[in-house]
Amino acid sequence: MPNFFKHRESIVALRLSAGQGCGLCSLFWCTWVKTLNKDDPNEEFLEQHFPGQLYIGCSSWTVSRQAFPYITLTQQSPTGSSRTLCSFEAFANRDDVPAEGKSLLGRAVYANSASKECISVAKEWLRTCLHEHKECSPLREDESPLPTRVIDVGDEDSNPKLLTSDGKIEPWVALSYCWGGESQFVLNDGTMYDLQRGIPLSDFPATLRDAVVITRSLGVKYIWIDALCIKQDSAEDWAREAAKMRDVYSGAILTVVAANSPSTHSGIFSQRIAGKRAALEWRDSATSQASKVQLRPGSELWDHTLSASPLMSRGWTLQEGLLSPRTVSYGAQQMIWECPCYQVDEGGRITQSTEDYRSKGFIQNLIRIQNKKIIKPQSLLEKLILRSSKPEKWWKSYGIADPYDKWNDIAEQFMCRSLTKDFDALPALSGLARVFQHFLKDEYCAGLWKNDILSTLMWNRSPRYPADFSTRFDLSRPSGYLAPSWSWTSILGKQSSMSSSWQTREALQVSAHCVAKIISLRTFPKGPDPFGQVTGGELVLHTRFGKIEHLPPVYSTEHEFHNDTPKSV
């Protein structure tokens, strides 16, 4: 149970103590006063609106989740009610963590992500995952051959150069990043010779240069970067290599995520700006030895800029992150590690992964089963292929969730993201589709699955809004044909859903087969990849027609809605 102890008798007394030089009171005051959004509140205002005794305590926490307790500043009002004014994390330097505080204290974040100390943290995460995580180590049982082309990162005495791998088996790093517009530093007929001969690292764009530095520091010899490993002036080479995306990211020993980089010229490394701190003494109960720990505002390292960054809204990165067995993301405030076992950040917080809410663990479980070549009895596969209105839950024997539901979850996440080239929607999902198809033994149809299509035709998609908000909706048309109209990948949109709820889907799986029957369903791939772009598609149903009595108002580019809206709906 949390314990609370009396601190200052009032907010006014707290401000007075802070002004007299108390570091702890100064941290409390400066952190709390920012929440008021009021410049220099006077004593009368504070006494009137925030009367009462102040207490210092800690929040409750769950040891099984490896969470940390928060130090909280609370206030008890004269009426007896209490409120939390602000919360803080206690942390220690990595080389000076008190023995009793290993599971209670966070860790210091280094001033610059390019530092040797930061690289050491990433190296330790990788080492721990490879050698100590039972859930992750099987991923390395069968090493994969290198992608078609990779960059040999070289060293201080040799330049990075493009290498054709010829099936050589070696570990490699993959890079997930934003191009941020057109880039001239790419592989094409004009640059191939120079890249194969070797280009000085100083000539690389900052983001790609930093990725090479990280790869060297981790002791890995090769890195895969799409701009330098796929010919950008060859549609055939691009289509062929894009079809291998699943193997590139799932086979990489680690994917470096340039989460704080909006373009190839921005760089991965950054200087971290630390907020206000307060030092405290930690005394070991057994030895009475004293150590120094510090407090920082509890919200300081919740990297909202990471989730809102351009990279996290980019369509391609969803697939890249889910297919990668391990990722280290370089955010504005700290590094974040993620693998099937857990997620941990540079500040020391560990989040145990659970399949209930994470698609990454689910995808990695599918890949692990596939790599182990586990073969279930033929009868189960036959039941899967002949999926009826009451399907056998064959996937339960694998210990995984319903893959159709998981696919729809991923599709909904993907819909919210953007693509530089709108016709990349299907290629940007092709790697994930390959993973699902191996287990579903189902026909992939431009973002949907044949055996589940009757319940997923109920998808809906919200319109996009223009950047300048000049009109209600973005009425721009796709650059070309995207997909058949019955697929959600056929239109440009934003946040959407495959169906209104999982209960609706469960009901549809039963009722849809009673009112409709698939006569024929097929798509026409644009190239050799059945999961990539398509040139057309056909869906023929035997079902009923329903008359729409009242149509919704029609959107106009001149007016938000026509004036002649229906009187009843």
Side-chain angles (χ1 to χ4, degrees):
M1 296 294 293
N3 292 317
F4 288 86
F5 305 89
K6 283 187 177 181
H7 188 50
R8 303 299 175 189
E9 62 270 19
S10 67
I11 287 286
V12 173
L14 178 73
R15 184 171 72 169
L16 178 62
S17 177
Q20 293 174 345
C22 175
L24 185 62
C25 290
S26 178
L27 175 65
F28 288 167
W29 167 256
C30 292
T31 304
W32 174 75
V33 78
K34 289 179 182 178
T35 66
L36 290 183
N37 294 319
K38 182 178 177 62
D39 295 332
D40 194 22
N42 56 40
E43 290 188 12
E44 181 180 356
F45 172 84
L46 296 174
E47 289 175 348
Q48 178 181 355
H49 295 282
F50 299 96
Q53 173 73 46
L54 302 184
Y55 291 84
I56 300 177
C58 68
S59 65
S60 58
W61 71 98
T62 306
V63 177
S64 62
R65 293 260 180 196
Q66 295 179 275
F68 296 141
Y70 277 90
I71 306 301
T72 61
L73 179 68
T74 63
Q75 184 178 45
Q76 187 176 46
S77 70
T79 61
S81 62
S82 62
R83 57 189 165 207
T84 299
L85 301 181
C86 42
S87 299
F88 304 87
E89 282 185 337
F91 70 95
N93 292 326
R94 292 178 181 272
D95 56 355
D96 189 27
V97 181
E100 289 185 331
K102 290 184 183 293
S103 61
L104 299 174
L105 298 170
R107 303 295 185 266
V109 172
Y110 295 107
N112 193 299
S113 55
S115 66
K116 292 181 179 180
E117 292 83 1
C118 253
I119 290 293
S120 295
V121 173
K123 288 181 70 173
E124 180 59 22
W125 285 338
L126 180 60
R127 187 205 64 78
T128 301
C129 182
L130 291 175
H131 298 288
E132 298 180 18
H133 292 172
K134 293 181 180 179
E135 298 89 340
C136 304
S137 55
L139 297 172
R140 294 287 297 162
E141 284 182 354
D142 298 317
E143 292 186 344
S144 304
L146 288 166
T148 305
R149 304 182 190 96
V150 289
I151 299 297
D152 183 334
V153 297
D155 51 37
E156 293 182 357
D157 299 321
S158 60
N159 295 327
K161 60 183 178 181
L162 180 67
L163 176 73
T164 301
S165 65
D166 295 325
K168 184 179 180 180
I169 295 179
E170 292 281 354
W172 73 91
V173 168
L175 177 63
S176 178
Y177 68 110
C178 279
W179 280 41
E182 294 297 325
S183 174
Q184 302 301 315
F185 198 84
V186 298
L187 174 63
N188 53 41
D189 285 335
T191 62
M192 179 170 285
Y193 175 74
D194 289 338
L195 283 168
Q196 288 175 333
R197 187 178 58 177
I199 295 178
L201 186 58
S202 58
D203 292 345
F204 277 56
T207 300
L208 309 190
R209 182 184 66 236
D210 292 348
V212 170
V213 170
I214 293 169
T215 305
R216 285 179 177 177
S217 302
L218 292 174
V220 182
K221 190 176 182 180
Y222 303 105
I223 185 171
W224 185 90
I225 302 173
D226 58 356
L228 304 182
C229 298
I230 301 177
K231 290 188 66 178
Q232 301 301 313
D233 58 351
S234 170
E236 294 78 12
D237 190 74
W238 190 93
R240 183 170 55 251
E241 294 304 312
K244 301 175 183 177
M245 206 72 75
R246 179 264 192 212
D247 296 326
V248 169
Y249 283 98
S250 65
I253 191 173
L254 175 69
T255 294
V256 173
V257 180
N260 194 41
S261 308
S263 74
T264 56
H265 299 284
S266 304
I268 296 176
F269 300 133
S270 62
Q271 185 75 26
R272 282 78 172 272
I273 301 175
K276 195 172 182 61
R277 302 283 189 264
L280 296 173
E281 184 180 274
W282 178 289
R283 189 170 294 279
D284 190 291
S285 61
T287 64
S288 296
Q289 291 182 343
S291 303
K292 289 292 183 182
V293 299
Q294 297 184 70
L295 295 185
R296 61 192 170 206
S299 60
E300 182 176 301
L301 293 182
W302 290 112
D303 200 343
H304 300 295
T305 58
L306 179 63
S307 58
S309 68
L311 188 76
M312 294 299 107
S313 63
R314 180 172 167 259
W316 282 97
T317 59
L318 177 63
Q319 173 175 261
E320 293 165 2
L322 292 178
L323 290 175
S324 302
R326 306 168 191 87
T327 59
V328 58
S329 301
Y330 282 77
Q333 297 164 311
Q334 60 176 335
M335 298 185 303
I336 296 176
W337 171 273
E338 188 176 18
C339 65
C341 184
Y342 67 61
Q343 176 177 305
V344 59
D345 60 35
E346 193 178 339
R349 285 185 300 263
I350 295 176
T351 303
Q352 294 281 16
S353 61
T354 63
E355 189 176 295
D356 293 339
Y357 68 92
R358 289 184 63 231
S359 297
K360 185 178 182 69
F362 175 83
I363 296 296
Q364 292 302 318
N365 198 11
L366 289 186
I367 294 173
R368 184 185 301 111
I369 294 170
Q370 181 177 350
N371 289 344
K372 286 184 175 181
K373 298 181 174 63
I374 295 178
I375 300 175
K376 291 294 175 179
Q378 184 65 29
S379 59
L380 287 176
L381 298 179
E382 290 174 348
K383 290 177 181 178
L384 170 61
I385 296 170
L386 304 174
R387 191 172 188 237
S388 65
S389 59
K390 293 183 178 180
E392 294 288 337
K393 300 298 184 181
W394 61 272
W395 41 83
K396 288 187 177 180
S397 62
Y398 287 103
I400 59 177
D402 186 327
Y404 288 103
D405 285 339
K406 279 294 183 181
W407 175 262
N408 290 334
D409 290 343
I410 291 171
E412 290 178 359
Q413 295 176 50
F414 184 83
M415 289 179 190
C416 300
R417 299 186 173 219
S418 59
L419 293 163
T420 303
K421 300 175 181 178
D422 53 23
F423 51 78
D424 278 349
L426 290 172
L429 279 173
S430 63
L432 291 171
R434 286 177 183 276
V435 174
F436 276 83
Q437 198 275 336
H438 177 81
F439 287 91
L440 292 176
K441 307 300 179 186
D442 198 353
E443 185 178 344
Y444 183 65
C445 302
L448 303 175
W449 297 95
K450 183 175 182 179
N451 289 337
D452 198 48
I453 199 165
L454 290 181
S455 59
T456 50
L457 283 176
M458 196 179 169
W459 61 265
N460 63 80
R461 202 152 186 204
S462 301
R464 298 192 309 181
Y465 293 85
D468 59 2
F469 297 97
S470 57
T471 60
R472 181 174 174 82
F473 302 138
D474 183 353
L475 300 178
S476 59
R477 293 181 177 274
S479 61
Y481 181 83
L482 301 182
S485 60
W486 39 262
S487 169
W488 59 268
T489 62
S490 65
I491 60 174
L492 306 178
K494 281 293 185 182
Q495 188 170 5
S496 314
S497 62
M498 297 299 288
S499 62
S500 57
S501 66
W502 67 267
Q503 294 98 329
T504 303
R505 290 196 68 257
E506 288 289 326
L508 284 171
Q509 286 176 351
V510 176
S511 61
H513 291 270
C514 299
V515 298
K517 180 182 178 182
I518 298 175
I519 302 301
S520 65
L521 172 61
R522 57 178 178 167
T523 55
F524 308 101
K526 186 175 182 178
D529 183 9
F531 303 97
Q533 288 180 259
V534 297
T535 58
E538 178 183 87
L539 171 61
V540 180
L541 297 176
H542 181 274
T543 185
R544 303 171 184 173
F545 280 92
K547 184 178 180 181
I548 301 177
E549 298 292 342
H550 300 288
L551 292 173
V554 178
Y555 177 71
S556 168
T557 56
E558 298 180 358
H559 305 287
E560 190 165 305
F561 290 100
H562 286 307
N563 292 326
D564 53 343
T565 55
K567 293 182 180 180
S568 61
V569 178

